[in-house]
Coordinates of all heavy atoms in Angstrom, one line a residue:
V1 N -1.0 0.5 9.1 CA 0.3 -0.1 8.9 C 0.1 -1.5 8.4 O -0.8 -2.2 8.9 CB 1.1 -0.1 10.2 CG1 2.5 -0.8 10.0 CG2 1.3 1.3 10.7
T2 N 0.8 -1.8 7.4 CA 0.7 -3.1 6.8 C 2.0 -3.8 6.6 O 3.0 -3.1 6.6 CB -0.1 -3.1 5.4 OG1 -0.4 -4.4 5.0 CG2 0.7 -2.3 4.4
G3 N 2.0 -5.1 6.4 CA 3.3 -5.8 6.2 C 2.9 -7.2 5.8 O 1.8 -7.6 5.8
L4 N 3.9 -8.1 5.6 CA 3.7 -9.5 5.3 C 2.9 -10.2 6.4 O 1.9 -10.9 6.1 CB 5.1 -10.2 5.2 CG 5.8 -10.0 3.9 CD1 7.2 -10.7 4.0 CD2 5.1 -10.4 2.7
A5 N 3.2 -9.9 7.7 CA 2.5 -10.6 8.8 C 1.0 -10.1 8.8 O 0.1 -11.0 9.0 CB 3.1 -10.3 10.1
Q6 N 0.8 -8.9 8.5 CA -0.6 -8.4 8.6 C -1.5 -8.9 7.5 O -2.7 -9.1 7.7 CB -0.6 -6.8 8.6 CG -0.1 -6.2 9.9 CD 1.4 -6.4 10.1 OE1 2.2 -6.4 9.1 NE2 1.8 -6.5 11.3
I7 N -0.9 -9.1 6.3 CA -1.7 -9.6 5.2 C -1.8 -11.2 5.2 O -2.8 -11.7 4.6 CB -1.3 -9.1 3.8 CG1 0.1 -9.6 3.5 CG2 -1.4 -7.6 3.7 CD1 0.6 -9.4 2.1
Q8 N -0.9 -11.8 5.8 CA -0.9 -13.3 5.7 C -1.3 -14.0 7.0 O -1.7 -15.2 6.9 CB 0.6 -13.8 5.4 CG 1.0 -13.4 4.0 CD 2.4 -13.8 3.7 OE1 3.2 -14.1 4.6 NE2 2.7 -13.9 2.5
L9 N -1.4 -13.3 8.1 CA -1.7 -14.0 9.4 C -2.9 -13.4 10.1 O -3.1 -12.2 10.0 CB -0.5 -14.0 10.3 CG 0.8 -14.7 9.8 CD1 2.0 -14.4 10.7 CD2 0.6 -16.2 9.6
P10 N -3.6 -14.2 10.9 CA -4.7 -13.6 11.7 C -4.2 -12.8 12.9 O -3.0 -12.8 13.2 CB -5.4 -14.9 12.2 CG -4.4 -15.9 12.2 CD -3.5 -15.6 11.1
P11 N -5.0 -12.1 13.6 CA -4.6 -11.3 14.8 C -3.9 -12.2 15.8 O -4.2 -13.4 15.9 CB -5.9 -10.7 15.3 CG -6.8 -10.7 14.2 CD -6.5 -11.9 13.3
D12 N -3.0 -11.6 16.6 CA -2.3 -12.4 17.6 C -3.3 -12.9 18.7 O -4.2 -12.2 19.1 CB -1.3 -11.5 18.3 CG -0.2 -11.1 17.3 OD1 0.1 -11.9 16.4 OD2 0.4 -10.0 17.5
T13 N -3.0 -14.1 19.1 CA -3.8 -14.7 20.2 C -2.9 -15.3 21.3 O -3.4 -15.5 22.4 CB -4.7 -15.8 19.7 OG1 -3.9 -16.8 19.1 CG2 -5.8 -15.3 18.7
D14 N -1.7 -15.5 21.0 CA -0.7 -16.0 22.0 C 0.7 -15.7 21.6 O 0.9 -15.1 20.6 CB -1.0 -17.5 22.2 CG -0.8 -18.3 20.9 OD1 -0.3 -17.8 19.9 OD2 -1.3 -19.5 20.8
V15 N 1.6 -16.2 22.4 CA 3.1 -15.9 22.1 C 3.5 -16.6 20.8 O 4.3 -16.0 20.0 CB 3.9 -16.4 23.3 CG1 5.4 -16.3 23.0 CG2 3.6 -15.6 24.5
A16 N 3.0 -17.7 20.5 CA 3.3 -18.4 19.2 C 2.9 -17.6 18.0 O 3.7 -17.5 17.0 CB 2.7 -19.8 19.2
S17 N 1.8 -17.0 18.1 CA 1.3 -16.2 16.9 C 2.2 -14.9 16.8 O 2.5 -14.5 15.7 CB -0.1 -15.8 17.0 OG -0.4 -15.0 18.2
V18 N 2.7 -14.4 17.9 CA 3.6 -13.2 17.8 C 4.9 -13.7 17.2 O 5.5 -13.0 16.4 CB 3.8 -12.6 19.3 CG1 4.9 -11.6 19.2 CG2 2.5 -12.0 19.8
R19 N 5.4 -14.8 17.6 CA 6.6 -15.4 17.0 C 6.5 -15.5 15.5 O 7.4 -15.2 14.7 CB 7.0 -16.7 17.6 CG 7.6 -16.6 19.0 CD 8.1 -17.9 19.5 NE 8.6 -17.7 20.8 CZ 8.2 -18.4 21.9 NH1 7.3 -19.3 21.7 NH2 8.7 -18.2 23.1
R20 N 5.3 -16.0 15.0 CA 5.1 -16.2 13.6 C 5.2 -14.8 12.9 O 5.8 -14.7 11.8 CB 3.8 -16.9 13.3 CG 3.8 -18.3 13.5 CD 2.6 -19.0 13.0 NE 1.4 -18.6 13.7 CZ 0.9 -19.1 14.9 NH1 1.6 -20.1 15.5 NH2 -0.2 -18.6 15.4
K21 N 4.6 -13.8 13.5 CA 4.7 -12.5 12.9 C 6.1 -11.9 12.9 O 6.5 -11.3 11.9 CB 3.7 -11.5 13.6 CG 2.3 -11.8 13.3 CD 1.3 -10.7 13.7 CE 0.0 -11.1 13.2 NZ -1.0 -10.2 13.6
V22 N 6.9 -12.2 13.9 CA 8.3 -11.7 13.9 C 9.0 -12.4 12.8 O 9.9 -11.8 12.1 CB 8.9 -12.0 15.3 CG1 10.4 -11.7 15.3 CG2 8.3 -11.1 16.4
E23 N 8.7 -13.7 12.6 CA 9.4 -14.4 11.5 C 9.1 -13.7 10.1 O 10.0 -13.6 9.3 CB 8.9 -15.9 11.5 CG 9.5 -16.7 12.6 CD 8.9 -18.1 12.7 OE1 8.0 -18.4 11.8 OE2 9.2 -18.8 13.6
R24 N 7.8 -13.3 9.9 CA 7.5 -12.6 8.7 C 8.2 -11.3 8.6 O 8.6 -10.8 7.5 CB 6.0 -12.4 8.6 CG 5.2 -13.7 8.5 CD 5.4 -14.4 7.2 NE 5.0 -15.8 7.3 CZ 3.8 -16.3 7.2 NH1 2.8 -15.5 7.0 NH2 3.6 -17.6 7.2
D25 N 8.3 -10.6 9.8 CA 9.0 -9.3 9.7 C 10.5 -9.5 9.3 O 11.0 -8.7 8.6 CB 8.9 -8.6 11.1 CG 7.6 -8.1 11.4 OD1 6.8 -7.9 10.5 OD2 7.3 -7.9 12.6
L26 N 11.1 -10.6 9.9 CA 12.5 -10.8 9.5 C 12.6 -11.2 8.0 O 13.5 -10.8 7.3 CB 13.0 -12.0 10.3 CG 13.2 -11.6 11.8 CD1 13.6 -12.9 12.6 CD2 14.2 -10.5 12.0
Q27 N 11.6 -11.9 7.5 CA 11.6 -12.3 6.1 C 11.5 -11.0 5.2 O 12.2 -10.8 4.2 CB 10.4 -13.2 5.8 CG 10.2 -13.5 4.3 CD 9.0 -14.3 4.0 OE1 8.2 -14.6 4.9 NE2 8.9 -14.8 2.8
Y28 N 10.6 -10.1 5.7 CA 10.5 -8.8 4.9 C 11.8 -8.1 4.9 O 12.2 -7.5 3.9 CB 9.4 -7.9 5.6 CG 9.4 -6.5 5.0 CD1 8.8 -6.3 3.8 CD2 10.0 -5.5 5.6 CE1 8.8 -5.1 3.2 CE2 10.0 -4.2 5.1 CZ 9.4 -4.0 3.9 OH 9.5 -2.8 3.3
I29 N 12.5 -8.0 6.1 CA 13.8 -7.3 6.1 C 14.8 -7.9 5.2 O 15.5 -7.2 4.5 CB 14.3 -7.3 7.6 CG1 13.5 -6.4 8.4 CG2 15.8 -6.9 7.6 CD1 13.7 -6.6 9.9
E30 N 14.8 -9.3 5.1 CA 15.7 -9.9 4.1 C 15.4 -9.6 2.7 O 16.3 -9.6 1.8 CB 15.6 -11.5 4.3 CG 16.2 -12.0 5.6 CD 16.0 -13.5 5.8 OE1 15.4 -14.1 4.9 OE2 16.4 -14.0 6.8
Q31 N 14.1 -9.4 2.3 CA 13.7 -9.3 0.9 C 13.2 -8.0 0.5 O 12.7 -7.8 -0.6 CB 12.7 -10.4 0.7 CG 13.1 -11.8 0.9 CD 12.0 -12.8 0.6 OE1 10.8 -12.4 0.4 NE2 12.4 -14.1 0.6
M32 N 13.3 -7.0 1.4 CA 12.6 -5.7 1.2 C 13.2 -5.0 -0.1 O 14.4 -5.0 -0.3 CB 12.7 -4.8 2.4 CG 14.0 -4.3 2.7 SD 13.9 -3.3 4.2 CE 15.6 -3.1 4.6
D33 N 12.2 -4.5 -0.8 CA 12.5 -3.7 -2.0 C 11.2 -3.0 -2.3 O 10.1 -3.3 -1.8 CB 13.1 -4.4 -3.1 CG 12.2 -5.4 -3.8 OD1 11.0 -5.5 -3.4 OD2 12.6 -6.1 -4.7
G34 N 11.3 -2.1 -3.3 CA 10.1 -1.3 -3.7 C 9.0 -2.1 -4.2 O 7.8 -1.9 -4.0
W35 N 9.3 -3.1 -5.0 CA 8.3 -4.0 -5.6 C 7.6 -4.8 -4.5 O 6.3 -4.9 -4.6 CB 8.9 -5.0 -6.6 CG 9.3 -4.3 -7.9 CD1 10.5 -4.1 -8.4 CD2 8.4 -3.6 -8.8 NE1 10.4 -3.4 -9.6 CE2 9.1 -3.1 -9.9 CE3 7.0 -3.4 -8.8 CZ2 8.6 -2.4 -10.9 CZ3 6.4 -2.7 -9.9 CH2 7.2 -2.2 -10.9
L36 N 8.3 -5.3 -3.6 CA 7.6 -6.0 -2.5 C 6.7 -5.1 -1.7 O 5.5 -5.5 -1.4 CB 8.6 -6.7 -1.5 CG 8.0 -7.5 -0.4 CD1 7.1 -8.6 -0.9 CD2 9.1 -8.1 0.5
D37 N 7.1 -3.9 -1.5 CA 6.2 -2.9 -0.8 C 4.9 -2.7 -1.6 O 3.8 -2.6 -1.0 CB 6.9 -1.6 -0.6 CG 8.0 -1.7 0.5 OD1 8.0 -2.6 1.3 OD2 8.9 -0.8 0.5
L38 N 5.1 -2.5 -2.9 CA 3.9 -2.3 -3.8 C 3.0 -3.6 -3.8 O 1.7 -3.4 -3.7 CB 4.3 -2.0 -5.2 CG 4.9 -0.6 -5.4 CD1 5.4 -0.4 -6.8 CD2 3.9 0.5 -5.0
K39 N 3.6 -4.7 -3.8 CA 2.8 -6.0 -3.7 C 2.0 -6.1 -2.4 O 0.9 -6.5 -2.4 CB 3.7 -7.2 -3.9 CG 4.3 -7.3 -5.3 CD 5.2 -8.5 -5.3 CE 5.9 -8.7 -6.6 NZ 6.8 -9.9 -6.7
I40 N 2.7 -5.7 -1.3 CA 2.0 -5.7 0.0 C 0.9 -4.8 0.0 O -0.2 -5.1 0.6 CB 3.1 -5.5 1.1 CG1 4.0 -6.7 1.3 CG2 2.3 -5.2 2.5 CD1 5.2 -6.4 2.2
L41 N 1.1 -3.6 -0.5 CA 0.0 -2.6 -0.5 C -1.2 -3.1 -1.4 O -2.4 -3.0 -1.0 CB 0.5 -1.3 -1.1 CG 1.3 -0.4 -0.1 CD1 1.9 0.8 -0.8 CD2 0.5 0.0 1.1
A42 N -0.9 -3.7 -2.5 CA -1.9 -4.3 -3.4 C -2.7 -5.4 -2.6 O -3.9 -5.5 -2.7 CB -1.3 -4.8 -4.7
A43 N -1.9 -6.3 -2.0 CA -2.5 -7.4 -1.2 C -3.4 -6.8 -0.1 O -4.5 -7.4 0.2 CB -1.5 -8.3 -0.7
T44 N -3.0 -5.8 0.6 CA -3.8 -5.1 1.6 C -5.1 -4.7 1.0 O -6.2 -4.9 1.6 CB -3.0 -4.0 2.2 OG1 -1.8 -4.5 2.8 CG2 -3.8 -3.3 3.3
A45 N -5.1 -4.0 -0.1 CA -6.3 -3.5 -0.8 C -7.2 -4.7 -1.1 O -8.4 -4.6 -0.9 CB -5.9 -2.7 -2.0
T46 N -6.6 -5.8 -1.6 CA -7.5 -6.9 -2.0 C -8.1 -7.6 -0.8 O -9.2 -8.1 -0.8 CB -6.7 -8.0 -2.8 OG1 -5.6 -8.5 -2.0 CG2 -6.2 -7.4 -4.1
K47 N -7.3 -7.6 0.3 CA -7.9 -8.2 1.6 C -9.0 -7.3 2.1 O -10.0 -7.9 2.6 CB -6.8 -8.2 2.6 CG -7.2 -8.9 3.9 CD -6.0 -9.1 4.8 CE -6.4 -10.0 6.0 NZ -5.3 -10.3 6.9
V48 N -8.9 -6.0 2.0 CA -10.0 -5.1 2.4 C -11.3 -5.4 1.6 O -12.4 -5.3 2.2 CB -9.6 -3.6 2.3 CG1 -10.8 -2.7 2.4 CG2 -8.5 -3.3 3.3
V49 N -11.2 -5.7 0.4 CA -12.4 -6.0 -0.4 C -12.8 -7.4 -0.4 O -13.8 -7.8 -1.1 CB -12.2 -5.5 -1.9 CG1 -12.0 -4.0 -2.0 CG2 -11.1 -6.2 -2.6
G50 N -12.1 -8.3 0.4 CA -12.6 -9.6 0.6 C -11.9 -10.7 -0.2 O -12.3 -11.9 -0.1
V51 N -10.8 -10.4 -0.9 CA -10.1 -11.5 -1.6 C -9.3 -12.3 -0.6 O -8.6 -11.7 0.2 CB -9.2 -10.9 -2.7 CG1 -8.3 -11.9 -3.3 CG2 -10.0 -10.1 -3.7
P52 N -9.4 -13.6 -0.6 CA -8.6 -14.4 0.4 C -7.1 -14.2 0.2 O -6.6 -14.1 -0.9 CB -9.0 -15.8 0.0 CG -10.2 -15.8 -0.7 CD -10.2 -14.4 -1.4
C53 N -6.4 -14.1 1.3 CA -5.0 -13.8 1.2 C -4.2 -14.8 0.4 O -3.3 -14.4 -0.4 CB -4.4 -13.7 2.7 SG -2.6 -13.4 2.6
P54 N -4.4 -16.1 0.6 CA -3.6 -17.1 -0.2 C -3.8 -16.8 -1.7 O -2.8 -16.9 -2.5 CB -4.2 -18.4 0.1 CG -4.7 -18.3 1.5 CD -5.3 -16.8 1.5
L55 N -4.9 -16.4 -2.2 CA -5.1 -16.1 -3.6 C -4.4 -14.8 -4.0 O -3.7 -14.8 -5.0 CB -6.6 -16.0 -3.9 CG -7.0 -15.6 -5.3 CD1 -6.4 -16.6 -6.4 CD2 -8.5 -15.4 -5.5
A56 N -4.6 -13.8 -3.2 CA -3.9 -12.5 -3.5 C -2.4 -12.7 -3.5 O -1.7 -12.2 -4.4 CB -4.3 -11.5 -2.5
C57 N -1.8 -13.4 -2.5 CA -0.4 -13.6 -2.4 C 0.1 -14.4 -3.6 O 1.2 -14.2 -4.1 CB 0.0 -14.3 -1.1 SG -0.2 -13.2 0.3
R58 N -0.7 -15.4 -4.0 CA -0.3 -16.2 -5.2 C -0.3 -15.3 -6.5 O 0.7 -15.4 -7.2 CB -1.2 -17.4 -5.4 CG -0.5 -18.7 -5.7 CD -1.4 -19.9 -5.7 NE -2.8 -19.8 -5.8 CZ -3.6 -20.0 -4.8 NH1 -3.2 -20.4 -3.6 NH2 -4.9 -19.8 -4.9
L59 N -1.3 -14.6 -6.6 CA -1.4 -13.7 -7.8 C -0.4 -12.6 -7.9 O 0.1 -12.3 -9.0 CB -2.8 -13.1 -7.9 CG -4.0 -14.0 -8.2 CD1 -5.3 -13.3 -8.0 CD2 -3.9 -14.7 -9.5
L60 N 0.0 -12.1 -6.7 CA 1.0 -11.0 -6.6 C 2.4 -11.5 -6.4 O 3.3 -10.7 -6.3 CB 0.6 -10.1 -5.5 CG -0.7 -9.3 -5.8 CD1 -1.2 -8.6 -4.5 CD2 -0.6 -8.3 -6.9
A61 N 2.6 -12.8 -6.3 CA 3.9 -13.5 -6.1 C 4.6 -12.9 -4.9 O 5.7 -12.6 -4.9 CB 4.8 -13.3 -7.4
I62 N 3.8 -12.9 -3.8 CA 4.3 -12.5 -2.5 C 4.9 -13.7 -1.8 O 4.2 -14.8 -1.7 CB 3.2 -11.8 -1.6 CG1 2.8 -10.5 -2.3 CG2 3.7 -11.6 -0.2 CD1 1.7 -9.8 -1.6
P63 N 6.1 -13.7 -1.3 CA 6.7 -14.8 -0.6 C 5.9 -15.3 0.6 O 5.3 -14.5 1.3 CB 8.1 -14.4 -0.2 CG 8.0 -12.9 -0.2 CD 7.0 -12.5 -1.2
T64 N 5.9 -16.6 0.8 CA 5.3 -17.1 2.0 C 6.2 -17.2 3.2 O 7.4 -17.1 3.0 CB 4.7 -18.5 1.7 OG1 5.8 -19.4 1.4 CG2 3.7 -18.5 0.6
G65 N 5.7 -17.5 4.4 CA 6.6 -17.6 5.5 C 7.4 -18.9 5.5 O 8.4 -19.0 6.3
D66 N 7.0 -19.9 4.8 CA 7.7 -21.2 4.7 C 9.2 -21.0 4.3 O 10.1 -21.6 4.8 CB 7.0 -22.2 3.8 CG 5.6 -22.4 4.2 OD1 5.3 -22.3 5.4 OD2 4.8 -22.8 3.3
A67 N 9.4 -20.1 3.4 CA 10.7 -19.9 2.9 C 11.6 -19.2 3.9 O 12.8 -19.5 4.1 CB 10.7 -19.0 1.6
A68 N 11.0 -18.3 4.7 CA 11.8 -17.7 5.8 C 12.2 -18.7 6.9 O 13.3 -18.6 7.4 CB 10.9 -16.6 6.4
A69 N 11.4 -19.6 7.2 CA 11.7 -20.6 8.2 C 12.9 -21.4 7.8 O 13.7 -21.8 8.6 CB 10.5 -21.5 8.5
E70 N 13.0 -21.7 6.5 CA 14.1 -22.5 6.0 C 15.4 -21.8 6.0 O 16.5 -22.3 6.2 CB 13.8 -23.0 4.6 CG 12.6 -24.0 4.6 CD 12.2 -24.3 3.1 OE1 12.9 -23.8 2.2 OE2 11.2 -25.0 3.0
R71 N 15.4 -20.4 5.9 CA 16.6 -19.6 5.8 C 17.0 -19.1 7.2 O 18.1 -18.4 7.2 CB 16.3 -18.4 4.9 CG 16.3 -18.8 3.4 CD 16.3 -17.5 2.6 NE 15.3 -16.5 3.0 CZ 14.0 -16.5 2.7 NH1 13.5 -17.4 1.9 NH2 13.3 -15.5 3.2
S72 N 16.3 -19.3 8.2 CA 16.6 -18.7 9.5 C 18.0 -19.2 10.0 O 18.3 -20.3 10.0 CB 15.6 -19.1 10.6 OG 14.4 -18.5 10.3
P73 N 18.9 -18.2 10.3 CA 20.2 -18.6 10.8 C 20.1 -19.3 12.2 O 19.2 -19.1 12.9 CB 20.9 -17.3 11.0 CG 19.9 -16.2 10.8 CD 18.7 -16.8 10.2
A74 N 21.0 -20.2 12.4 CA 21.0 -21.0 13.6 C 21.0 -20.2 14.9 O 20.3 -20.5 15.9 CB 22.2 -22.0 13.7
G75 N 21.7 -19.1 14.9 CA 21.8 -18.3 16.1 C 20.6 -17.3 16.3 O 20.6 -16.5 17.2
C76 N 19.6 -17.4 15.4 CA 18.5 -16.4 15.4 C 17.2 -17.1 15.7 O 16.2 -16.8 15.1 CB 18.5 -15.7 14.1 SG 17.3 -14.3 14.0
S77 N 17.2 -18.0 16.6 CA 16.0 -18.8 17.0 C 15.0 -17.9 17.7 O 15.4 -17.1 18.5 CB 16.4 -20.0 17.8 OG 15.2 -20.6 18.3
L78 N 13.7 -18.1 17.4 CA 12.7 -17.4 18.1 C 12.1 -18.2 19.2 O 11.1 -17.8 19.8 CB 11.6 -17.0 17.1 CG 12.1 -16.0 16.0 CD1 11.0 -15.8 15.0 CD2 12.5 -14.7 16.6
A79 N 12.7 -19.4 19.5 CA 12.2 -20.2 20.5 C 12.5 -19.6 21.9 O 13.4 -18.8 22.1 CB 12.8 -21.6 20.4
A80 N 11.6 -19.9 22.9 CA 11.8 -19.4 24.2 C 13.1 -19.9 24.8 O 13.5 -21.1 24.6 CB 10.6 -19.8 25.1
D81 N 13.7 -19.1 25.6 CA 15.0 -19.5 26.3 C 14.6 -20.6 27.4 O 13.8 -20.4 28.2 CB 15.6 -18.3 27.0 CG 17.0 -18.6 27.5 OD1 17.5 -19.7 27.3 OD2 17.5 -17.7 28.2
P82 N 15.3 -21.8 27.3 CA 14.9 -22.8 28.3 C 15.3 -22.5 29.7 O 14.9 -23.2 30.6 CB 15.7 -24.0 27.8 CG 16.8 -23.5 26.9 CD 16.3 -22.2 26.4
A83 N 16.1 -21.5 30.0 CA 16.5 -21.2 31.3 C 15.5 -20.6 32.2 O 14.5 -20.1 32.0 CB 17.7 -20.2 31.3

């Protein structure tokens, strides 16, 4: 299984890394289409053969997580509940 989080981020090590992956999943849901799926598959193949993700994502015009963080709705925070 592959996706934005899998091609752009390292394996999970803590809750913060899981949150970053959830942010990428939400970004994918906002932007999903057939072309993005093909780009993700191509980036997965390039990662398997050793091409660095930033280079593959730039060449394939795959969106970064920075754009998703800016678009997050106020009521959809991934921060822990202070209670």
Side-chain angles (χ1 to χ4, degrees):
V1 177
T2 189
L4 286 176
Q6 289 71 31
I7 62 170
Q8 294 178 338
L9 299 173
D12 295 330
T13 57
D14 56 17
V15 174
S17 64
V18 173
R19 285 189 182 123
R20 284 190 296 274
K21 286 192 176 178
V22 170
E23 289 172 2
R24 297 290 162 82
D25 289 340
L26 293 173
Q27 177 185 6
Y28 172 78
I29 290 168
E30 290 176 0
Q31 299 179 350
M32 67 180 170
D33 68 4
W35 285 115
L36 182 57
D37 290 341
L38 290 174
K39 291 176 182 183
I40 290 171
L41 285 173
T44 301
T46 61
K47 187 172 185 175
V48 168
V49 297
V51 175
C53 179
L55 175 61
C57 289
R58 224 176 13 255
L59 292 173
L60 295 167
I62 294 176
T64 64
D66 302 334
E70 293 171 4
R71 286 190 312 275
S72 294
C76 189
S77 174
L78 297 174
D81 188 7

